[in-house]
Every structure is written in C-alpha cells, then in structure tokens.
Amino acid sequence: MARFPQAFYARPAREVAVALLGKRLVRLLDGRRVAGIIVETEAYCDADEPDLACHGDRANQGRPTARSEIMFGPAGFAYVYFTYGMHWMFNVVTGREGKANAVLVRALEPFEGEEIIAQNRPGRRRREWTNGPARLAQALAIDKSLNGANLFAPDGVLWVEEGWTVRPEAVCVGPRVGLGQTPEPWFSMPWRFWLSGNPFVSI
DNA sequence: AGCACGATTAACT
DNA sequence: GTTAATCGTGCTC
C-alpha cells in the first residue's frame, strides 16, 4: 500500500482533516507495522484564516516559536508536541509553507500490530488503547523524536495510506475539544471531525 | 530567573 | 463528577 504524497497534505487543514478519516496511520517499529484507522481529527488554522486556538497563531503574535516552527513549514511533516507535563500529541502539517496549519489526530481504531499496541498500553482494555490523542501517541510510540518527521519519504517510519471507504454522510462535525481559555469565535468553530458511531472516538 | 498554564489522562469519590 | 500528575514552552520581570 502506497504512502500518500506531499500533495495530499498541501491543502487547507479542514479539507485534510476530513480526508484523513478512514485512512490508515502506519508506524514502523523494529520493522513491524503498527497501524490504526483514523476515526477522529481536528483542524488548526484553516488555510490563511487566523485561529487563536492554534499554537502557531496564539503565541508570539502569529510568528514561529521554537515549538511551533514545524507548523509553519511545508506540508506532509509531523508536528509532535508535549503537554500537561506527560503527553505527546501528533499532528500532520497541512496547507502552505509560511502559515501555521495542521491537523491533530485524536483517535484511531486499532488495525495492525495489535500485540505491539497492547504492549505500549499495558493494563488497558482494547477500547482504551487509541481513543484519545495522547493514548494513540503512546500506542504507536510517537514522541519528540518524530517531531518534523517526513510522512511521504519512502524510507520514513510514519505515514498515512489508504484504509476504509468513508461515505460523506458518515462524517460528523462539531466544536474542538479542550480549548480552555480560547476566545470566541474559535472556541466554538466546528473544526472537529469524526466517524459516526465509531467506538474509538474520544468523546 | 521565575511563573502560569496546557489541543490530556487516570485514578479517585 | 472531581482532581492530581508533571514539565516544556512562552511570557514577564
């Protein structure tokens, strides 16, 4: 199965966020495939619009910082950041170079390498392996070392490829999760997307 | 140099 | 339903 090319990611974040639903996120660990179907995403900074929930727009007057610079770069790279003192979040960089633009992957349905996922999520039931952004990062061993990883390089260890066929009417839309003090209108913008009824959606 | 807080999770009552 | 955990980042002094 082929890795999606850079052109797949070089579109506005909302478009990519929807396109990612049903696709397969693959992680190569010791030469073995560990993968899940993407069932929930969130868009941050769609196209050229501002988004005060987005790290790229919230800090440093919309200019890159040490943390967010990857998001300002070209599409098709991983933006992995650390939060709450213990969790890693995995995003794909979208849009055009020069503007922060990314999609947070919030949940997967386990699909391949489940015995490795089980090792990475010890003591948890299958239902709780990958139903949240920090949980799926732990399940696929995604951390700081993958910040800036190329998702379309032939020799990469993390990529997206074909998965399920998703009917448009199966895509649900709603406001993003966990935005805290983010002001309106961004707090309520319906930029969270998920597959209707999928048991691995985080909320 | 110091401080407040976070695109969350797990373990409580 | 409530709250502790835990530290990098960005901002202020």
Side-chain angles (χ1 to χ4, degrees):
Chain A
M1 200 73 79
R3 299 161 197 239
F4 286 154
Q6 188 173 30
F8 175 85
Y9 304 98
R11 299 182 277 167
R14 269 147 64 196
E15 194 177 324
V16 178
V18 173
L20 281 171
L21 293 176
K23 302 303 191 290
R24 199 182 319 195
L25 178 65
V26 186
R27 170 81 161 110
L28 212 52
L29 282 175
D30 298 323
R32 303 174 67 187
R33 288 168 59 101
V34 181
I37 300 293
I38 297 172
V39 299
E40 182 184 353
T41 59
E42 282 179 358
Y44 285 86
C45 298
D46 189 61
D48 289 345
E49 297 173 45
D51 176 8
L52 268 291
C54 176
H55 294 162
D57 281 354
R58 191 165 61 203
N60 199 21
Q61 302 176 333
R63 301 170 62 85
T65 64
R67 176 171 71 162
S68 68
E69 64 175 344
I70 293 290
M71 266 203 300
F72 287 83
F77 292 81
Y79 168 48
V80 181
Y81 72 91
F82 184 68
T83 192
Y84 291 106
M86 64 194 90
H87 299 309
W88 297 98
M89 306 282 166
F90 167 68
N91 304 248
V92 302
V93 176
T94 61
R96 64 174 178 80
E97 191 169 359
K99 176 70 173 71
N101 210 291
V103 173
L104 171 69
V105 177
R106 286 192 55 89
L108 305 174
E109 175 163 334
F111 198 75
E112 288 179 79
E114 296 200 13
E115 66 288 346
I116 296 175
I117 294 178
Q119 287 173 23
N120 291 339
R121 299 282 297 142
R124 307 311 195 301
R125 293 192 303 271
R126 184 173 185 270
R127 177 83 169 240
E128 293 165 358
W129 283 352
T130 51
N131 62 333
R135 291 168 176 172
L136 75 86
Q138 189 178 21
L140 269 55
I142 295 173
D143 63 15
K144 185 189 187 88
S145 69
L146 287 174
N147 190 36
N150 186 320
L151 303 179
F152 55 90
D155 61 346
V157 294
L158 183 65
W159 67 90
V160 179
E161 60 183 41
E162 277 305 340
W164 299 339
T165 297
V166 173
R167 292 173 300 113
E169 57 269 30
V171 176
C172 297
V173 178
R176 295 172 291 182
V177 179
L179 297 193
Q181 309 304 313
T182 299
E184 295 289 1
W186 300 285
F187 185 84
S188 300
M189 293 301 268
W191 291 352
R192 172 172 172 255
F193 307 92
W194 68 95
L195 290 182
S196 177
N198 186 282
F200 291 90
V201 171
S202 68
I203 294 181

